[in-house]
Amino acid sequence: MTDASLDRAAFITAHTRLMPVPHAPEIVLHLADEATALWQKTEDELGEIGLPPPFWAFAWAGGQALARYILDHPEIVRGKRVLDVATGSGLVAIAAAKAGARAVTAVDIDAFCAVAVRLNAAANGVDVTAETRDPVGSDGGFDVILAGDICYQRDMTEAMMEWLTPLAATGTAVLIGDPGRAYLPKTGLAKLAEYQVPVTRALEDLAIKRTAVWVLAA
């Protein structure tokens, strides 16, 4: 099997099922029933061709909190151009679209994510543009940038913050959902909300994660 021959949509639909998101049940996603089994399967079958783990198959705490906040505060995105970075399943992008954003783009470096986003957006009856790329360093003129769970690796966090901080300084609203990951910056953020978010116990240290939504200071 090669990357070119892989039918990503078939793989996703075969190993997930549509389920409501625990903290944002207005949204349904193709999610894995058995986290450990799918993770092992992707390592065994897809790891051979260098593909990353199936982050797209789970509703991570930061994304759930950020989606909840956007759904409850639609004025944040209504009528605006929105970018969802490290989108994974597309949960946050879908929330923005449901909340009335004028246009929503979801980006991730994993090509599986773009396919998952398209499947999930269709399941929720919304339009989301899915792209496979690294957005760091670009400026697409977005009004709002949403980022769920981006602070779990030092290098990733530093790159993201170096990119996002100047954008926030020039007027882009940057919101981050984070469940207390190790590399969340200690300064430059203001807390907007905090939730108790149900998560996949096989992938987290707790069944419920206290998760905050932050805005990057302008």
Side-chain angles (χ1 to χ4, degrees):
M1 181 172 59
T2 65
D3 187 15
S5 66
L6 185 64
D7 187 337
R8 295 185 176 89
F11 186 91
I12 291 169
T13 55
H15 298 291
T16 63
R17 65 184 178 93
L18 276 174
M19 292 185 275
V21 174
H23 204 60
E26 304 95 318
I27 296 173
V28 295
L29 298 176
H30 287 85
L31 299 174
D33 271 322
E34 296 292 336
T36 305
L38 178 58
W39 206 277
Q40 187 62 50
K41 188 173 185 64
T42 56
E43 286 188 346
D44 293 344
E45 296 188 9
L46 306 183
E48 295 178 4
I49 55 176
L51 295 180
F55 295 112
W56 44 266
F58 306 99
W60 298 90
Q64 288 197 61
L66 192 49
R68 180 74 269 152
Y69 188 80
I70 294 300
L71 291 169
D72 291 344
H73 301 84
E75 68 279 1
I76 299 292
V77 299
R78 185 184 294 123
K80 298 177 181 178
R81 297 180 64 239
V82 176
L83 177 67
D84 176 29
V85 302
T87 189
S89 65
L91 168 58
V92 178
I94 291 166
K98 290 178 74 71
R102 178 162 63 92
V104 182
T105 300
V107 299
D108 203 292
I109 60 173
D110 181 0
F112 262 91
C113 293
V115 179
V117 168
R118 294 183 190 112
L119 291 171
N120 289 330
N124 288 276
V126 297
D127 292 324
V128 174
T129 299
E131 299 177 353
T132 303
R133 62 182 177 89
D134 183 352
V136 171
S138 64
D139 182 356
F142 293 96
D143 304 303
V144 181
I145 297 178
L146 305 173
D149 243 323
I150 60 168
C151 299
Y152 56 89
Q153 292 179 339
R154 184 189 299 275
D155 290 349
M156 178 182 182
T157 304
E158 290 177 350
M160 283 284 186
M161 299 310 296
E162 287 175 3
W163 168 53
L164 293 171
T165 299
L167 293 176
T170 58
T172 303
V174 178
L175 275 64
I176 297 171
D178 186 86
R181 301 297 187 202
Y183 301 108
L184 179 72
K186 301 298 189 291
T187 60
L189 297 171
K191 185 185 292 187
L192 298 176
E194 186 171 279
Y195 305 98
Q196 299 294 323
V197 180
V199 292
T200 303
R201 185 64 180 86
L203 300 178
E204 296 281 9
D205 55 343
L206 298 169
I208 303 292
K209 295 284 285 188
R210 186 171 66 181
T211 306
V213 174
W214 304 86
V215 62
L216 191 58

